[in-house]
Amino acid sequence: MQLYNTLSAEERAKLIDEAGKTRLTLSFYAYAHLPHPKEFRDSLFLAWNPLEVLGRIYVATEGINAQLSLPADRFHEFKAHLDSISFLNGIRLNIAVEQFDKSFLKLTIKVRDKIVADGLNDETFDVTNKGVHLNAKSFNELLEDPNTIVVDMRNHYESEIGHFKNAITPDVDTFRDSLPIIEEQLAPHKEDKNVLMYCTGGIRCEKASAYFKHKGFQKVFQLEGGIIEYTRQVKEQGLESKFIGKNFVFDHRLGERITEDVIAQCHQCGKPCDTHTNCINEACHLLFLQCEECVQKMEGCCSDACVEIIHLPEETQKELRRNTKNSNKIFKKGRSEALKFKPNK
């Protein structure tokens, strides 16, 4: 019985090309009590692998967080399976703004302690006492209120390429880092200001809004469905998009365009640019912003040192990679000394 992915990314990409099918990229999350997450995880793999579902899914005793893609012609089968699970019946699916057949190349379902690494002790506050959910129209209206503060609950490399106008965008590497910073910054406004929170798909705000209410904030709101659902409603209802730029996504697309505004800069030359890339040096893979001219000049690398390395014999490159780990340092693009251009924070 197969319970894990057995194909490489290259093999899967070839199969996608050969199939010639349009694929849908989507995401969803749900908080629920799952006493046996490993059993639930295995049941998902057995149901989804035959449907050619690919993606990154986290399961924990507190629920599920899923980002995935599947052939469009298998969507109804997939939805039927979700509906057969009590706490996922009728769940809102955030369909990606921009579709890409190779957004995911493996099916990875992992059991984690939490579905989002928030660093919070859930036993110390009521996680169900969440902020008021707002649709796109209501969110836009509250943004116009002078007593409103809008807060981006995402990381620096996400907000750098796109965010809501006038939003507070913490310069942090992780979600858990942002919570104490925001709490301290907004402490004087616990009672008199509307605090509007948003993130990519809504999951980070679910926990954050309850946390800030626990900390004494009286008027806490969150964007229902996050930026993805907001954009869908904006287009469907002909609303003005108060979000400008790109929405960062954690798949091979690395971003989906919401408006034509380019609010970021190439990390190598400083020209307007909001295209993320990973350094092609297999021992580096630093995530950074790189314009087309620098792609050509630097051969897709983040530094002259990495350019030198990619021209070494493959065996030498493998030897250099042996016993090295990149960990989360790949996301610290704004902090890397290898990058020549430093945006003003």
Side-chain angles (χ1 to χ4, degrees), residues 11-78:
E11 290 171 322
R12 180 63 69 179
K14 183 178 180 181
L15 288 178
I16 291 175
D17 287 337
E18 291 174 350
K21 293 182 178 180
T22 298
R23 297 181 65 88
L24 288 177
T25 299
L26 57 89
S27 61
F28 67 90
Y29 69 90
Y31 282 98
H33 179 57
L34 300 177
H36 306 291
K38 176 62 166 61
E39 293 178 14
F40 181 65
R41 177 260 170 223
D42 290 348
S43 71
L44 292 182
F45 192 95
L46 291 173
W48 292 356
N49 193 46
L51 298 179
E52 301 175 68
V53 173
L54 303 174
R56 187 185 302 109
I57 298 92
Y58 297 137
V59 174
T61 54
E62 67 175 3
I64 181 173
N65 181 13
Q67 301 170 71
L68 54 87
S69 78
L70 75 160
D73 61 6
R74 309 300 294 268
F75 175 78
H76 293 293
E77 294 174 79
F78 175 75

Side-chain angles (χ1 to χ4, degrees), residues 118-135:
D118 52 37
L120 298 174
N121 181 354
D122 296 352
E123 295 179 359
T124 62
F125 66 101
D126 183 1
V127 296
T128 67
N129 185 24
K130 300 174 289 190
V132 177
H133 285 227
L134 298 177
N135 59 25

Side-chain angles (χ1 to χ4, degrees), residues 277-288 302 306 326 329-331:
T277 187
N278 286 108
C279 177
I280 67 169
N281 175 12
E282 295 287 347
C284 178
H285 278 321
L286 181 77
L287 180 71
F288 68 107
C302 68
C306 284
N326 291 329
K329 291 181 180 179
I330 63 173
F331 292 117

